Amino acid sequence: MKIVSLPILLFSLAFTVVSCDHDKDANQPKVQIPASIAPFATPKPQLPPDSGPPPAFDSARAMQYVKEIVAFGPRPIGSANHKKVEDYLLAHLKGDEVENDVFTADTPEGKLPVHNIVARFPGTKDGIIIIASHYDTNYPLRGTSFVGANDGGSSSALLLEFANQLRGKPRPGYSIWLVWDDAEEAIKPDGSGGLRQEMPFEKDSLYGITHLAEKWQADGTLKRIRAFLLADMVGDADLNIEHDSNSTPWLEAVVYEAATRLGYQSHFFARTMTVSDDHLPFLKREVPSADFIDFDYGYNDVFWHTTQDTVDKLSPKSLGIVGATMLETINILDKMDPLPPK
Ligand SMILES: [Zn+2]
């Protein structure tokens, strides 16, 4: 993923604080919070009442999955480790309705194999909610010990635990399709990981999820998708999920409501960013989408796309917060009839 633009608003906010320090008028508020960094202040959609117990999510088991995925080592596309992780994911989905979406991507490094894995869990209501996570590790860092514990590992493990919660009888709501998408990461250096940019992220990334969006548009599936929820970098022990200005505003409001109902709102939306990630191909096709991403991974995001992205930086508690909030978001969506348009 990539941040397209860091929020200018925050910069101007910081400037406001400095200038206010010299302002002797104590009656004036020190800082004006712009409405755009307070998403919960935007018009809320009609929401159903809070009902039912909080969603079940086994965060210790999710953390164990992160450790097991990371233990395979770096898993860039086309590698032997990547194949081992494919097999690992599929072994955990044995008996579930699974689709393997396998194709060859034309990349700036030539033709490379891509393998999306989709697990479908039926609901009683017409329509589908997608929960997606990429599982490949950064390709330009393939010669290093980069294992992407948070970047690709945490969210892939999260989805495995969702599968445990969803398996069994049809859920009383929308069908849920879990998508472990592949080749999210850029193939040529995109300016991250301490490497000089050779190609913009936008032109050389999101291979797997773009393929699925195109395929589902062609076969009519896309029309049945009510929402696309994305998880990326969700395991940081110091969890701060961003408010993403690319994501669909009403869906972000539902996410914040879900977090608030569970008492987790302090981990959500303290700042606004513009994030380019796996949700873009679905946003482009008018599917309401929200990215659950924490782009504050170590001070100033210092662990992102470095060999320091290791399991010791993560916490099962964070996986539990994101897991329960995603499931609560879906519980709310199930009861919103009709859902707002994009
Ligand atoms: Zn990455």
Side-chain angles (χ1 to χ4, degrees):
M1 55 69 59
K2 193 190 174 193
I3 300 297
V4 169
S5 60
L6 284 165
I8 297 160
L9 274 169
L10 285 185
F11 180 76
S12 60
L13 187 66
F15 183 76
T16 309
V17 175
V18 172
S19 60
C20 277
D21 284 342
H22 301 283
D23 184 351
K24 299 291 176 225
D25 186 353
N27 293 326
Q28 291 300 313
K30 288 285 181 209
V31 178
Q32 293 259 331
I33 306 291
S36 55
I37 67 163
F40 32 90
T42 57
K44 258 202 211 173
Q46 281 285 328
L47 296 171
D50 188 358
S51 63
F57 187 88
D58 188 335
S59 47
R61 187 162 52 183
M63 190 70 200
Q64 182 57 31
Y65 292 149
V66 180
K67 290 177 182 165
E68 287 167 7
I69 290 169
V70 163
F72 290 110
R75 49 187 188 281
I77 57 169
S79 67
N81 285 350
H82 189 287
K83 176 75 175 73
K84 287 179 194 163
V85 176
E86 291 168 36
D87 294 343
Y88 171 86
L89 295 173
L90 291 169
H92 281 269
L93 299 169
K94 216 169 176 179
D96 297 330
E97 190 188 329
V98 171
E99 177 191 345
N100 290 285
D101 177 46
V102 180
F103 67 101
T104 303
D106 255 320
T107 81
E109 291 277 358
K111 292 191 186 304
L112 287 168
V114 180
H115 187 167
N116 297 314
I117 297 169
V118 183
R120 300 196 184 99
F121 297 91
T124 54
K125 202 170 162 140
D126 184 39
I128 301 158
I129 292 175
I130 304 284
I131 307 180
S133 152
H134 80 91
Y135 69 98
D136 58 312
T137 48
N138 187 277
Y139 195 81
L141 298 175
R142 64 192 179 282
T144 73
S145 61
F146 176 76
V147 290
N150 198 23
D151 188 357
S154 64
S155 49
S156 295
L158 188 89
L159 265 61
L160 280 182
E161 177 52 22
F162 284 152
N164 293 335
Q165 299 299 333
L166 295 169
R167 191 169 289 128
K169 58 180 181 336
R171 63 185 305 276
Y174 293 116
S175 295
I176 296 183
W177 291 10
L178 302 177
V179 176
W180 289 263
D181 64 89
D182 199 6
E184 182 267 352
E185 299 282 6
I187 301 302
K188 286 282 190 189
D190 61 355
S192 65
L195 302 172
R196 201 128 62 112
Q197 188 185 68
E198 290 180 28
M199 218 167 158
F201 178 82
E202 290 72 19
K203 290 192 172 161
D204 167 37
S205 61
L206 314 184
Y207 291 97
I209 202 71
T210 302
H211 188 259
L212 273 182
E214 286 169 353
K215 179 174 148 174
W216 286 341
Q217 185 166 33
D219 71 10
T221 301
L222 202 80
K223 283 196 225 77
R224 296 176 54 221
I225 300 175
R226 303 289 180 260
F228 180 93
L229 305 179
L230 178 62
D232 197 2
M233 298 174 71
V234 291
D236 185 2
D238 178 18
L239 184 71
N240 300 290
I241 300 294
E242 317 293 350
H243 172 237
D244 165 37
S245 59
N246 271 341
S247 291
T248 306
W250 72 258
L251 190 52
E252 291 277 269
V254 174
V255 169
Y256 193 78
E257 173 68 16
T260 304
R261 288 181 180 188
L262 299 172
Y264 296 146
Q265 70 272 27
S266 65
H267 296 283
F268 283 76
F269 296 0
R271 63 177 184 174
T272 296
M273 287 191 158
T274 304
V275 184
S276 290
D277 208 346
D278 274 327
H279 56 335
L280 293 189
F282 284 84
L283 281 166
K284 198 173 135 190
R285 290 168 175 82
E286 307 275 287
V287 176
S289 305
D291 193 359
F292 288 65
I293 185 164
D294 175 353
F295 205 61
D296 182 30
Y297 185 35
Y299 178 74
N300 215 10
D301 212 35
V302 71
F303 302 143
W304 176 57
H305 283 181
T306 74
T307 53
Q308 295 184 80
D309 182 0
T310 44
V311 165
D312 55 297
K313 316 295 189 307
L314 312 187
S315 156
K317 194 173 166 225
S318 299
L319 297 171
I321 290 168
V322 173
T325 303
M326 277 191 143
L327 293 175
E328 183 68 10
T329 298
I330 291 166
N331 287 342
I332 295 174
L333 294 174
D334 282 336
K335 295 182 200 120
M336 286 171 71
D337 236 344
L339 291 171
K342 162 76 173 60

